[in-house]
Amino acid sequence: MQYNISKKAKPVDRHPMTFMESLYIPTIAKGLTITLGHIFKKKATINYPEVQRPFSSTFRGLHILNRDEQGRERCTACGLCALSCPAEAITMESAERKAGEEHLYREEKYAAKYEINMLRCIFCGLCEEACPKDAIYLTQTFAPANFERKGFIYKKDDLLIPETEASKKLN
Ligand code: SF4
Ligand code: SF4
């Protein structure tokens, strides 16, 4: 008994080749026609990385740790982002702000260490939603390729948005 798993299956034709078939010319011509047809079609690929497609407006990429308008770090190491992270990708250590450090940290407690493991991260954006201080958000860039796993552990210095010239002058 023969079972047809897929109705698309076609039995292989094993008849002896005719004289025209043995010349291969009609088959080659048919193949070249298909190739020529594709030359004039719009390309499905782009010359990446020279050409890059714009991301969707809802794309969520690499994280950034935000500063306030005076250039102070917004993060208060409350841990809500780490708690809300389904991939357990965020780790941090908190520290208390000392006298004279008010121009560096906005809150009395700050993240002395802050790390995101981009190999674990699923870019869901829950950390951004959970943050009560508007301190973390996901940008429209992605983590570049790396040959080593440790290259995907983003530390605070990698995540912290650079100070603007204007905020440097304020401090
Ligand atoms: S985007 Fe999602 S998975 Fe990635 S660090 Fe934030 S909460 Fe975790
Ligand atoms: S990034 Fe936001 S949620 Fe995460 S520890 Fe800092 S202040 Fe809290």
Side-chain angles (χ1 to χ4, degrees):
M1 187 187 279
Q2 190 179 355
Y3 293 99
N4 274 338
I5 297 171
S6 162
K7 287 184 180 155
K8 289 179 188 165
K10 284 184 191 165
V12 178
D13 185 1
R14 295 190 189 279
H15 74 271
M17 281 202 282
T18 62
F19 174 71
M20 279 304 283
E21 281 171 343
S22 66
L23 290 178
Y24 293 107
I25 291 172
T27 320
I28 291 170
K30 194 177 161 192
L32 284 175
T33 315
I34 294 171
T35 307
L36 280 172
H38 279 283
I39 287 176
F40 299 106
K41 275 189 188 162
K42 189 173 176 265
K43 277 190 205 165
T45 53
I46 55 164
N47 291 334
Y48 183 85
E50 288 80 18
V51 181
Q52 293 191 14
R53 287 204 173 101
F55 289 120
S56 137
S57 57
T58 52
F59 178 85
R60 292 188 293 256
L62 267 186
H63 309 63
I64 263 192
L65 282 176
N66 205 1
R67 295 177 187 273
D68 69 4
E69 48 291 336
Q70 294 171 41
R72 299 177 300 181
E73 292 176 25
R74 281 179 169 268
C75 178
T76 185
C78 64
L80 282 177
C81 52
L83 204 63
S84 66
C85 177
E88 297 184 1
I90 304 177
T91 49
M92 72 187 74
E93 274 172 25
S94 66
E96 271 189 47
R97 186 181 72 187
K98 296 189 181 72
E101 289 183 337
E102 291 81 2
H103 65 293
L104 297 175
Y105 312 110
R106 198 172 77 149
E107 313 288 340
E108 288 170 3
K109 202 169 73 143
Y110 68 94
K113 181 182 153 195
Y114 193 104
E115 280 182 9
I116 302 182
N117 184 338
M118 295 300 170
L119 291 174
R120 279 175 165 250
C121 177
I122 54 169
F123 301 95
C124 61
L126 287 179
C127 49
E128 183 182 316
E129 280 182 39
C131 182
K133 300 289 177 186
D134 191 22
I136 188 166
Y137 63 90
L138 278 73
T139 63
Q140 292 229 320
T141 54
F142 52 85
N146 202 305
F147 288 107
E148 295 197 38
R149 297 181 75 84
K150 65 180 179 196
F152 290 100
I153 314 289
Y154 279 62
K155 300 191 186 311
K156 187 175 149 183
D157 287 344
D158 305 316
L159 299 166
L160 202 59
I161 199 165
E163 262 193 282
T164 60
E165 286 307 314
S167 64
K168 274 184 199 166
K169 277 178 198 160
L170 276 173
N171 291 326

